[in-house]
């Protein structure tokens, strides 16, 4: 596993990057932004609420674990105050180049089908979300996670940890290299198998744009049977969780490319009431 | 392009693999000891059983009520405080973190909010994460906090920590009579 340090007031940043530099990066970016907004008297606007069906519900009985974990009392509609429209800011110092290649984190190459995953992170207005941290985790090609609670009878791969991190560039693009994860059984119902998937966690600009999702693979026969995938009622929204095979990012003699674009909430048109 | 936001999916039971590098239980490592507050609590499911595979993310302003973020248009905090924390629960569903009490920040209509933490909760069984808040016991500002006022009076206590063991205790009750208030965000 990569080394980390954790002793200062910053986020846990790898030791290779002096923390002062990351801090300077964040503060410099912010003063430029504040100069641009000038003497604005109104707070910046909040973020849009999801259209019906485009996000999964809390209670989805077909996914058994939701039954004892979904809230039963009504949710309280939360206005987006300064506490919600802000969120943690990560600098490029937070990731190293090798964090984006899950096939190069050990002495040997992991087993399985090498793949390249690329995509663009944008908001609902199509604007690039630049400098966004994307955290990635997955099981290996045999369908086994490197986790003490994964008891699936499939081999671990000494050359695969299954974790990666990458920052989006100024156009919101990201790219990582990995192996295609395997399907694996789970105990949700009789003969339940998760379709192959990669977990992605994103910090956009605000705490209310936070997104944890899963990327699936086109043509997976398990998709119609997976209660997690099918938890999202809107068919279009659901199918956007499936990556597309992509010639443009496919590397000759090396690896197939898959494209997975991600959309984070867009801003409300109207400024927050003051 | 006008696609809606990508659908959320559960973190599943194995999130530690990807999220552990940013685990951070001490939000204010350089703060003076007497300013530090230790929070602890448990996450319990609808059968009052501990949730051993939850992860909490904390977001808060610094002691002066400033966020280290470009949309906080006031001068950025210079105390090295980032405002972010991330902690998992253990086998007994317990979590703990330490921080400083945030200052007040503006709320709707410019009305000041009482000091609070924003907490996002992720776990297997949540297809989309929960969002809640933690307020501080005995703070007179709680009485007219614009967000607490949106919550039925009988449920407000679920958002206010309790003094315990020299720190503050705040539990996450996912279902039932004492269910924690969660927000539609």
């Amino acid at each position: 596993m990569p080394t980390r340090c954790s002793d200062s007031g910053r986020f846990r940043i790898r030791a290779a990057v002096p923390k002062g530099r990351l801090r300077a990066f964040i503060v410099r970016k912010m003063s430029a932004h504040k100069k641009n907004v000038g003497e604005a008297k109104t707070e910046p606007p909040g973020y849009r609420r999801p259209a019906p069906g485009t996000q999964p519900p809390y209670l989805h009985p077909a996914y058994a674990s939701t039954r004892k974990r979904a809230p039963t009392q009504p949710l309280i509609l939360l206005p987006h105050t300064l506490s919600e429209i802000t969120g943690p800011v990560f600098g490029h110092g937070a990731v190293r180049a090798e964090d984006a290649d899950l096939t190069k984190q050990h002495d040997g190459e992991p087993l399985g089908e090498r793949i390249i995953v690329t995509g663009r992170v944008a908001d609902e207005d199509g604007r690039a979300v630049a400098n966004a941290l994307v955290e990635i985790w997955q099981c290996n090609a045999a369908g086994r996670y490197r986790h003490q609670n994964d008891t699936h009878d499939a081999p671990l791969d000494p050359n695969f940890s299954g974790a990666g991190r990458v920052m989006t560039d100024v156009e919101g693009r990201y790219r990582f290299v990995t192996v295609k994860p395997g399907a694996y059984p789970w105990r949700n119902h009789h003969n339940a198998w998760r379709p192959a998937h990669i977990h992605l966690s994103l910090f956009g600009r605000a705490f209310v744009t936070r997104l944890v999702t899963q990327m699936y693979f086109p043509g997976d026969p398990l998709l119609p049977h997976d209660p997690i995938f099918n938890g999202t009622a809107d068919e279009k929204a659901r199918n956007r969780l499936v990556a597309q095979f992509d010639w443009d990012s496919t590397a000759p003699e090396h690896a197939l490319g898959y494209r997975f674009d991600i959309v984070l909430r867009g801003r409300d048109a109207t400024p927050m009431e003051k | 392009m006008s696609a809606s936001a990508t659908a959320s999916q559960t973190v599943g039971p194995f999130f530690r693999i990807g999220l552990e590098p940013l685990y951070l239980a001490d939000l204010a490592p350089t703060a003076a000891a007497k300013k530090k507050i230790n929070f602890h609590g448990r996450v319990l499911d609808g059968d009052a059983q501990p949730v051993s595979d939850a992860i909490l993310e904390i977001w808060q302003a610094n002691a002066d009520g400033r966020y280290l973020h470009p949309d906080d248009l006031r001068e950025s905090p210079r105390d090295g405080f980032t405002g972010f924390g991330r902690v998992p629960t253990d086998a007994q569903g317990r979590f703990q973190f330490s921080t400083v009490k945030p200052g007040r920040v503006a709320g709707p209509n410019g009305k000041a909010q009482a000091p609070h933490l924003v907490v996002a909760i992720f776990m297997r069984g949540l297809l989309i994460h929960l969002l809640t808040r933690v307020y501080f016991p005995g703070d007179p500002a709680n009485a007219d906090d614009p967000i607490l006022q949106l919550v039925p009076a009988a449920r407000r206590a679920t958002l206010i920590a309790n003094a315990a063991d020299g720190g503050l205790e705040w539990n996450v009750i996912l279902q039932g009579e004492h269910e924690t208030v969660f927000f539609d965000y």
Side-chain angles (χ1 to χ4, degrees):
Chain A
M1 285 296 286
T3 55
R4 305 184 298 272
C5 62
S6 59
D7 52 335
S8 82
R10 317 311 316 158
F11 304 112
R12 288 188 175 191
I13 302 303
R14 268 65 182 261
V17 180
K19 293 186 187 62
R21 219 167 71 202
L22 174 67
R23 163 100 190 144
F25 170 82
I26 295 171
V27 172
R28 201 165 52 242
K29 260 182 42 178
M30 286 202 272
S31 16
H33 168 82
K34 285 177 190 180
K35 220 169 273 170
N36 291 339
V37 294
E39 295 299 306
K41 291 287 187 292
T42 50
E43 296 289 348
Y47 286 82
R48 265 176 247 159
R49 311 272 169 171
T54 60
Q55 292 290 335
Y58 288 107
L59 181 63
H60 182 58
Y63 175 21
S65 297
T66 67
R67 295 176 202 162
K68 294 292 182 186
R69 295 184 168 193
T72 60
Q73 305 272 343
L75 304 182
I76 306 294
L77 187 69
L78 181 67
H80 292 171
T81 75
L82 198 55
S83 302
E84 286 74 35
I85 66 167
T86 54
V89 177
F90 297 90
H92 277 271
V95 300
R96 302 178 301 185
E98 57 265 42
D99 292 335
D101 191 338
L102 285 71
T103 69
K104 295 241 168 72
Q105 296 173 344
H106 297 271
D107 289 341
E109 285 232 33
L111 294 173
E113 181 188 347
R114 189 189 300 117
I115 60 170
I116 298 165
V117 179
T118 60
R120 180 169 180 264
V121 183
D123 69 15
E124 289 171 297
D125 296 307
R127 281 188 292 250
V129 181
N131 307 315
L133 176 66
V134 186
E135 298 168 287
I136 302 145
W137 69 102
Q138 63 168 89
C139 63
N140 66 23
R144 177 88 184 265
Y145 284 92
R146 186 178 285 273
H147 190 288
Q148 59 184 12
N149 294 347
D150 187 354
T151 54
H152 177 36
D153 180 22
L156 281 168
D157 184 336
N159 291 314
F160 192 70
S161 299
R165 301 200 290 168
V166 65
M167 301 283 293
T168 60
D169 67 14
V170 291
E171 293 175 327
R173 295 183 192 285
Y174 70 90
R175 177 184 189 274
F176 63 94
V177 180
T178 185
V179 294
K180 192 173 178 182
Y184 59 84
W186 59 315
R187 299 193 177 93
N188 188 70
H189 54 271
H190 175 67
N191 210 4
W193 291 78
R194 288 300 326 277
H197 62 274
I198 297 174
H199 296 265
L200 297 105
S201 158
L202 289 98
F203 287 90
R205 189 180 169 93
F207 212 56
V208 290
T209 64
R210 183 90 177 81
L211 173 72
V212 174
T213 189
Q214 299 180 26
M215 173 198 126
Y216 299 93
F217 290 85
D220 192 322
L222 295 168
L223 284 171
H225 307 283
D226 182 52
I228 293 179
F229 174 69
N230 289 291
T232 301
D234 185 281
E235 189 182 0
K236 263 192 194 162
R238 187 166 68 237
N239 287 332
R240 280 170 39 225
L241 296 175
V242 182
Q244 293 180 320
F245 168 67
D246 181 41
W247 278 117
D248 288 341
S249 55
T250 293
E253 318 297 328
H254 185 64
L256 293 187
Y258 287 92
R259 183 173 172 121
F260 186 62
D261 291 331
I262 297 168
V263 180
L264 303 181
R265 284 186 187 194
R267 289 205 100 132
D268 259 335
T270 50
M272 232 161 66
E273 287 173 55
K274 276 228 80 165
Chain B
M1 192 170 100
S2 59
S4 61
T6 301
S8 171
Q9 298 275 269
T10 179
V11 289
F14 308 126
F15 57 77
R16 182 179 60 74
I17 296 169
L19 301 183
E20 188 177 31
L22 281 181
Y23 281 6
L24 190 65
D26 186 352
L27 280 76
T30 59
K34 64 179 186 337
K35 300 256 184 195
K36 289 291 276 288
I37 302 168
N38 293 311
F39 275 90
H40 66 274
R42 298 178 81 195
V43 181
L44 300 173
D45 73 9
D47 291 327
Q49 293 302 301
V51 174
S52 60
D53 54 3
I55 180 165
L56 283 68
E57 289 183 351
I58 299 115
W59 176 241
Q60 67 165 97
N62 76 348
D64 299 322
R66 304 279 169 98
Y67 285 104
L68 183 65
H69 188 278
D71 283 1
D72 187 334
L73 302 178
R74 300 160 301 168
E75 192 188 343
S76 297
R78 299 192 181 281
D79 54 5
F81 185 77
T82 68
F84 179 71
R86 176 188 272 179
V87 292
T89 55
D90 66 13
Q92 284 75 44
R94 291 180 304 221
F95 62 87
Q96 71 82 31
F97 61 91
S98 60
T99 186
V100 292
K101 185 174 178 177
R104 303 183 69 172
V105 304
N109 306 312
K111 194 174 172 190
Q113 304 186 59
H116 62 275
L117 318 179
V118 183
V119 180
I121 304 167
F122 305 80
M123 66 184 77
R124 170 178 62 85
L126 287 181
L127 287 164
I128 183 164
H129 60 274
L130 293 166
L131 197 76
T132 184
R133 284 185 169 206
V134 187
Y135 289 81
F136 292 76
D139 193 315
N142 290 343
D144 54 4
D145 177 78
I147 304 303
L148 278 177
Q149 284 175 348
L150 300 172
V151 177
R155 301 188 63 204
R156 281 178 204 159
T158 69
L159 299 180
I160 302 173
N162 294 300
D165 304 330
L168 291 179
E169 178 181 10
W170 176 73
N171 296 306
V172 178
I173 313 295
L174 293 170
Q175 295 181 342
E177 195 188 346
H178 303 292
E179 184 174 315
T180 302
V181 166
F182 302 108
F183 291 100
D184 176 350
Y185 52 90

